[in-house]
Amino acid sequence: MINRPADEIEILAEGLLFPEGPVWHRDGSVAFVEIGRGTVSRWSPDGGVHVVAETGGGPNGLAVGPDGAYYVCNNGGFRFSDEGGYYRPVAPAVDHPDGRIERVDPQTGKVERLYERCGAFPLNGPNDLVFDARGGFYFTDTGRVRHRDRDHGGVYYALADGSQISEIAYPVLTPNGIGLSPDGKILYVAEMEPARLWAYDILSPGVLAKQPFPVLNGGRLVVGLGGYRRLDSLAVAASGNICLGTLVEGCVTIVSPAGEVVGRAMTPDPYCTNICFGGPGYKTAFLTMSLTGRLGRCTWHEAGLKLEYEG
């Protein structure tokens, strides 16, 4: 069992408004979103943080596409509460805006909306995304939670030029993190509220093999963590291990493709939401700690998986 204490994490930036979606760049900088500020922001090695673009709403997931642009899952926005030093979302934004997928020019900050719906159905709360080798991307839509009810969530596949989107798994209970296996043949999806990780075999880009009823979402269960935990985003290691941001417990849970929990890396925040890899040999982990508004890094015990596209 691999366990890492929280005091091994170096804090790079503080005072952020619910950061998520870290993306490492080859110049050493890290881009991320701030859901509470409605921005794509970027930390530079000199210690400074600057705003790249103002998206409004609730930018949630971030990835670099084949054209070098940022692609953003925008959940539409939340109302936030500052309680006991924790800045957290408590309800949808007052005007209930629709979710959307956006393209952001990292040089000019121009924001372009690519998708607001899939066929007849609007996107409610896009959350996280990952690009494949062909330049398309998979993304989760968690849905929105209201005082008395919530939306069903789903998984989608879309092209980066805004020309095609399809629903590929539905319904999924609060889908959040999403990632691909090292060979690109398996799609992983984390369900937030039940703390379950699902796998889908990919038949072709945007086409998944489905398990029959009684599995409602068609996935193959990798692991259910149990207890009072919630899963957020994920990253995949070069070995194939899946690294899951684990809320409440405040850690990254490391799961093998066979479903064995092989380790935990603790953080000083109950909401360790996201992880990405970078640095020499991709052996540095960058972590967003959202309740306390911090970006951190630590040396990882194995190499992370190199993504298809980098800044």
Side-chain angles (χ1 to χ4, degrees):
M1 177 75 73
I2 303 160
N3 291 292
R4 301 180 62 91
D7 59 10
E8 292 186 6
I9 297 173
E10 175 190 2
I11 302 302
L12 303 177
E14 299 183 279
L16 310 174
L17 297 185
F18 214 87
E20 291 209 36
V23 173
W24 177 76
H25 292 63
R26 287 189 295 270
D27 65 1
S29 64
V30 179
F32 52 90
V33 296
E34 293 184 73
I35 299 178
R37 185 171 278 130
T39 62
V40 175
S41 303
R42 191 165 172 173
W43 169 85
S44 297
D46 63 5
V49 174
H50 72 277
V51 172
V52 175
E54 296 183 358
T55 63
N60 202 152
L62 182 69
V64 175
D67 57 355
Y70 294 135
Y71 288 78
V72 178
C73 284
N74 195 313
N75 63 37
F78 295 111
R79 282 178 283 162
F80 281 80
S81 176
D82 197 344
E83 303 173 4
Y86 290 160
Y87 185 75
R88 67 184 185 94
V90 294
V94 175
D95 54 353
H96 297 279
D98 289 335
R100 63 261 190 185
I101 301 296
E102 297 169 318
R103 178 188 182 277
V104 172
D105 187 316
Q107 304 302 320
T108 66
K110 179 183 177 182
V111 180
E112 173 189 3
R113 292 196 181 193
L114 291 183
Y115 300 102
E116 295 178 327
R117 58 194 315 108
C118 179
F121 302 103
L123 300 178
N124 293 315
N127 189 298
D128 197 12
L129 73 164
V130 63
F131 275 89
D132 65 14
R134 297 200 176 194
F137 61 95
Y138 297 87
F139 73 94
T140 55
D141 187 324
T142 308
R144 299 186 73 75
V145 178
R146 294 165 292 274
H147 183 57
R148 293 285 183 180
D149 62 5
R150 69 168 69 231
D151 300 318
H152 288 307
V155 182
Y156 300 80
Y157 184 77
L159 299 184
D161 61 4
S163 65
Q164 183 179 326
I165 182 173
S166 58
E167 178 186 281
I168 60 174
Y170 188 92
V172 186
L173 181 58
T174 59
N176 195 313
I178 193 166
L180 291 166
S181 60
D183 62 7
K185 295 181 178 180
I186 299 173
L187 180 71
Y188 293 110
V189 176
E191 281 186 311
M192 181 169 62
E193 298 301 353
R196 292 187 293 225
L197 177 67
W198 297 89
Y200 296 85
D201 294 326
I202 298 173
L203 301 177
S204 62
V207 180
L208 306 178
K210 298 290 187 66
Q211 301 295 312
F213 179 84
V215 179
L216 298 182
N217 62 29
R220 182 176 72 254
L221 184 65
V222 178
V223 69
L225 293 185
Y228 184 43
R229 302 178 177 92
R230 305 165 72 215
L231 295 182
D232 206 282
S233 186
L234 65 86
V236 178
S239 67
N241 286 337
I242 304 100
C243 305
L244 301 154
T246 307
L247 310 183
V248 183
E249 193 171 10
C251 69
V252 175
T253 304
I254 307 162
V255 176
S256 75
E260 179 187 3
V261 176
V262 296
R264 288 184 174 89
M266 304 306 299
T267 75
D269 188 314
Y271 271 33
C272 177
T273 51
N274 284 219
I275 176 174
C276 78
F277 294 107
Y282 295 88
K283 296 193 72 172
T284 300
F286 297 89
L287 308 167
T288 52
M289 293 162 280
S290 297
L291 286 183
T292 54
R294 292 182 286 180
L295 173 70
R297 70 180 171 195
C298 63
T299 300
W300 205 245
H301 65 280
E302 62 177 344
L305 180 65
K306 183 181 184 297
L307 298 178
E308 291 295 337
Y309 308 104
E310 295 177 342

